[in-house]
């Protein structure tokens, strides 16, 4: 007996995160009750196989295979099953039954976020999902609440730990892409099928969530421009390092104005150069960080663990305590508002700078010709340098850094360079983000 | 007309932060209303001198010199006057009248926080003060809400921009302490009386607030162990750099267990060494950052501007929107809970490591004698090296790095070294934080 009204909590899924959530609820019940203003009673844990091995020893009587029955009549549902179905249907049932829902399911949110938000708003329930982006890092609540009086202009995150681990090894230890991926895989940073990570799908799901919260606008995951890190070579890393940059896979959500004056949102994922003295450059190993720019607040960064059972459980519990408080206080939950309804603009409308690496004929007039191609497209060069890579006899390797320009112009410039006479090959094109 | 119920907001003070808050409320009224669920009407701005120059042009009819009258009958009071009185009395009057209060007044909170929290809790009003620590950086809300289900073990912040600017110039540009302070002063980073900054009083106020929120325990500002940066020399900076460290002024709030087994809280401010690859090491210029360690979440860091009118106004507006939502939803405000009531333990009970610089006689047996003194105190050396500083003939300069040990033992070791025969002088003692 703790003197508080008790709230019943259902847990769906008991993998590495779910097991930690269950443990923390059971072990820190009194402390959670003091913070929530209500006792939190774990009503049950729905799993597919009751006898499967777990990270944590938990009372067997809590387990059930009947998730649908479990979500009936509880106050709060924590969904940690992952995947689209049955998670989506169970969450909708829970919300319709008046329960608050906490989830870490980024794939589901990226695909059906607006539907779930609408269902929550309809009944005045609360849907929260701090753990879905950058695990332990409190980022969604600060974006939604702490910056509620400000205008966010850009969110730029390292939100996939696996790819950050790979790129960091290549940068700091000089690993080849293959070696770095092997080490990442051995350490459990990569899934059996690493495509979701290395092709940027996981980061794109998080970009969708970040963009919708930062800009109050529905951003379908298909509208996120996506490039992965599979093409990144040791030579690109070395060239970047030499020029004072580091390559990071960034998920970017940005307020932009198109060339014909339309205010909208850009959401994109790609590997990009950032300056070594940028706060995101010091995000090592599998860590995550989200860099936020706002009109009044200026530059902010949120840094921490982007994965891990315990770490993710911390964010889930924060949402759980918040949901419990809402039950105690009453009133509707904080709904994800999509009131701004800004258009999603294509990547061609983004302002960025390019670093272009070329193999060219080593003969007089080449630089002038290249400068001419840039000028023809309205792009100005910030720097042109001999690359660290060596070409064969009669060849030179160049690294061109452009000033900031509209992406469409930069892309057209690269196409013109590709077919230019004196250009033997374009060996690398990378964007520069976070300032020249 | 925006279709929302209107809430009346009183602003007390119109300095660089207040003027920006007024501007943002007036300029972004519609957007704020959409986020708050209520219209926000600026009822008035209380100032001492209506004709004083302001950073922003504001309607003259909003100004009044009668603060006491202004706070009557409003829904939300924003206190940005600074100082203890009349701010304290006005806030108490506002809370007793049922208004929510937003303040950035760290001196007042450090001195009278528990009194103000109690007054808010008594009437179910909300007192919030995100802007009081690290200005624009959302740190109090994440500590209080996002980590509500976790156990925070340590908070370690660079929370004073002026001193960070000075130390950063000494580190990155090799400035002397005097030159760095002069530049900081010229750029407006230092007050006319810089004592509050350089002696660590400002950081100690913030340590008080951070400790009380992280550990639900009242921490009087007098209980914060405080050392400033006035003694830090270019030689200490260079020696630190050489050994792979940077010196930062840290405000630390930590859960510790005393040598006789008492669980408690340590709150302290001092310049300390941190490893160059620690996230706090990359906090340059006047920026602030707060590094948080929690049982489940692991390591987190929150980074951004620690001063500035617009930047601080962003945090004030976040609290304003939150207070407005509470008015719309109803129910009591989130009170600052001091339920844990942990004892505050003296700095001697802290576990830390020392870097000690000594001038010693350059003769056989000196190292053995020094090692003996450490061993006598139960302190083990991690490293002993010749310093970058040169001594005179017959002298040697040594840098001793200890392993982590109880502060009281380390301090006793230094006292024993001071009076030892072969030690000519102890030239520097610095603690090492954030891991060896």
């Amino acid at each position: 007996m703790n003197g508080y009204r008790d709230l019943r909590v259902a847990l769906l899924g008991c993998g590495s995160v779910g097991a930690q959530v269950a443990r923390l609820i059971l072990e820190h019940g009194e402390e959670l009750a003091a913070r929530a203003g209500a006792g939190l009673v774990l009503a049950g844990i729905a799993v597919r196989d009751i006898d499967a091995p777990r990270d944590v020893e938990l009372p067997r009587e809590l387990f059930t295979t009947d998730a649908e029955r479990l979500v009936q009549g509880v106050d709060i549902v924590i969904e940690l099953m992952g995947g689209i179905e049955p998670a989506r249907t169970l969450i909708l049932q829970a919300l319709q039954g008046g329960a608050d829902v906490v989830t870490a399911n980024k794939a589901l949110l990226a695909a059906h976020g607006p539907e779930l938000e609408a269902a929550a708003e309809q009944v005045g329930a609360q849907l929260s999902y701090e753990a879905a982006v950058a695990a332990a890092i409190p980022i969604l609540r600060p974006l939604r609440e702490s910056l509620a009086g400000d205008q966010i202009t850009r969110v730029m995150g390292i939100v996939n730990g696996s790819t950050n681990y790979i790129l960091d090894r290549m940068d700091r230890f000089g690993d080849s892409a293959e070696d770095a991926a092997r080490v990442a895989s051995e350490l459990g940073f990569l899934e059996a099928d690493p495509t979701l990570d290395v092709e940027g799908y996981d980061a794109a799901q998080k970009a969708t969530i970040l963009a919708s919260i930062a800009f109050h606008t529905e951003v379908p995951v298909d509208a996120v421009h996506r490039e992965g890190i599979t093409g990144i070579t040791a030579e690109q890393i070395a060239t970047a390092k030499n020029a004072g940059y580091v390559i990071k896979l960034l998920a970017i959500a940005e307020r932009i104005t198109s060339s014909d004056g339309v205010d909208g949102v850009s959401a994109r994922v790609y590997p990009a150069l950032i300056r070594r003295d940028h706060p995101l450059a010091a995000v090592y190993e599998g860590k995550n960080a989200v860099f936020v720019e706002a009109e009044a607040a200026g530059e902010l960064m949120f840094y921490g663990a982007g994965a891990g059972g315990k770490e993710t459980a911390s964010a889930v519990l924060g949402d759980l305590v918040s949901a419990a408080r809402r039950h105690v206080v009453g009133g509707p939950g904080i709904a994800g508002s999509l009131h701004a309804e800004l258009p999603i603009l294509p990547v061609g409308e983004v302002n960025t700078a390019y670093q272009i690496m070329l193999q060219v004929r080593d003969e007089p007039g080449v630089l002038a010709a290249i400068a001419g191609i840039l000028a023809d497209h309205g792009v100005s060069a910030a720097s042109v340098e001999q690359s660290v890579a060596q070409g064969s006899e009669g060849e030179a390797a160049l690294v061109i850094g452009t000033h900031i320009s509209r992406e469409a112009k930069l892309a057209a410039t690269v196409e013109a360079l590709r077919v230019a006479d004196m250009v033997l090959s374009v060996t690398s094109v990378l964007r520069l983000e976070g300032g020249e």
Side-chain angles (χ1 to χ4, degrees), chain A:
Chain A
M1 290 301 292
N2 49 37
Y4 298 103
R5 165 188 166 197
D6 282 338
L7 296 174
R8 287 166 56 80
V9 179
L11 178 59
L12 310 183
C14 197
S16 62
V17 180
Q20 293 294 338
V21 167
R23 175 183 73 82
L24 290 164
I25 293 174
L26 295 173
E27 282 181 12
H28 296 311
E30 286 293 311
E31 183 73 21
L32 289 171
R35 295 176 186 182
L40 297 170
V41 176
L42 191 54
I45 308 172
V47 292
R48 253 179 308 194
D49 175 5
I50 290 180
D51 297 312
R54 317 269 170 223
D55 294 357
V56 174
E57 203 169 322
L58 296 164
R60 196 185 157 82
E61 64 271 21
L62 286 177
F63 287 94
T64 172
T65 55
D66 192 347
E68 238 176 287
R69 190 161 163 199
L70 179 62
V71 303
Q72 288 164 19
V74 296
D75 299 293
I76 301 169
V77 172
I78 302 174
E79 184 276 307
L80 299 170
M81 324 169 81
I84 304 296
E85 287 295 354
R88 175 180 153 275
T89 300
L90 287 166
I91 289 176
L92 288 171
Q93 285 170 351
L95 291 170
Q96 280 147 14
D100 286 348
V101 173
V102 177
T103 175
N105 192 331
K106 55 188 181 285
L108 176 62
L109 289 161
H112 298 283
E115 180 192 11
L116 301 179
E117 295 274 17
E121 198 174 0
Q122 210 184 346
V123 296
Q126 187 161 306
L127 172 70
S128 47
Y129 41 89
E130 183 64 76
V133 179
I137 308 175
I139 177 63
L140 303 187
R141 186 189 305 273
L143 285 180
R144 191 173 266 175
E145 299 183 37
S146 305
L147 292 167
D150 206 334
Q151 308 285 324
I152 298 167
T153 52
R154 181 151 66 158
V155 179
M156 191 159 73
I158 296 172
V159 291
N160 181 273
S162 317
T163 49
N164 198 56
Y165 188 87
I166 292 172
L167 293 173
D168 182 40
R169 274 206 74 94
M170 291 174 75
D171 178 69
R172 290 197 296 153
F173 303 101
D175 278 17
S176 68
E178 296 70 32
D179 286 351
R182 191 176 38 73
V183 176
S185 181
E186 282 168 11
L187 292 174
F189 275 110
L190 280 178
E191 303 291 328
D193 173 12
T195 315
L196 273 180
D197 293 325
V198 298
E199 296 295 355
Y201 290 99
D202 173 77
Q205 290 172 347
K206 290 160 179 170
T208 294
I209 298 170
L210 288 169
S212 67
I213 288 184
F215 306 126
H216 308 285
T217 289
E218 179 178 346
V219 180
V221 71
D222 295 344
V224 179
H225 174 86
R226 181 187 49 74
E227 300 173 32
I229 66 157
T230 45
I232 299 295
T233 63
E235 190 197 335
Q236 287 176 309
I237 300 270
T239 304
K241 198 166 186 171
N242 199 49
Y245 300 110
V246 57
I247 299 176
K248 295 289 189 187
L249 182 68
L250 300 178
I252 302 174
E254 192 178 9
R255 281 292 301 268
I256 62 172
T257 304
S258 76
S259 45
D260 45 5
V262 175
D263 278 329
V265 169
S266 159
R268 55 199 198 268
V269 170
Y270 45 58
L273 302 167
I274 51 175
R275 287 191 332 270
R276 293 233 156 224
D277 63 354
H278 191 284
L280 284 173
V283 178
Y284 305 124
E285 301 183 339
K287 293 285 189 181
N288 279 198
V290 181
F291 190 80
V292 177
E293 294 167 55
E295 192 196 280
E299 300 180 347
L300 301 169
M301 190 174 81
F302 303 81
Y303 164 98
K310 267 204 319 185
E311 292 82 354
T312 310
S314 170
V316 170
L317 281 174
D319 281 351
L320 172 63
V321 169
S322 163
R325 276 197 190 128
R326 190 192 80 79
H327 273 274
V328 174
V329 170
I334 293 175
S337 167
L338 301 174
H339 66 269
E341 294 179 355
L342 296 166
I344 316 300
L345 298 173
V347 73
E349 298 289 0
V350 167
N351 283 302
T352 183
Y354 268 22
Q355 185 208 59
I356 308 163
M357 292 163 61
L358 301 168
Q359 289 293 118
V360 296
R361 291 187 209 287
D362 191 8
E363 58 192 35
V366 166
L367 278 186
I370 287 173
I373 291 172
L374 267 67
D376 287 348
H377 291 82
V379 168
S380 70
S383 64
V384 181
E385 284 175 56
Q386 199 81 15
S387 160
V388 288
Q390 293 308 309
S392 322
E393 188 74 21
E395 290 186 17
L398 290 184
V399 183
I400 303 170
T402 76
H403 281 302
I404 290 175
S405 184
R406 195 73 72 172
E407 161 92 19
K409 282 186 188 178
L410 293 164
T413 306
V414 171
E415 288 321 300
L417 287 170
R418 268 189 220 285
V419 298
D421 244 11
M422 59 289 180
V423 174
L424 300 167
S425 62
V426 174
T427 54
S428 163
V429 180
L430 285 169
R431 296 173 190 86
L432 170 62
E433 295 289 347
E436 290 174 71

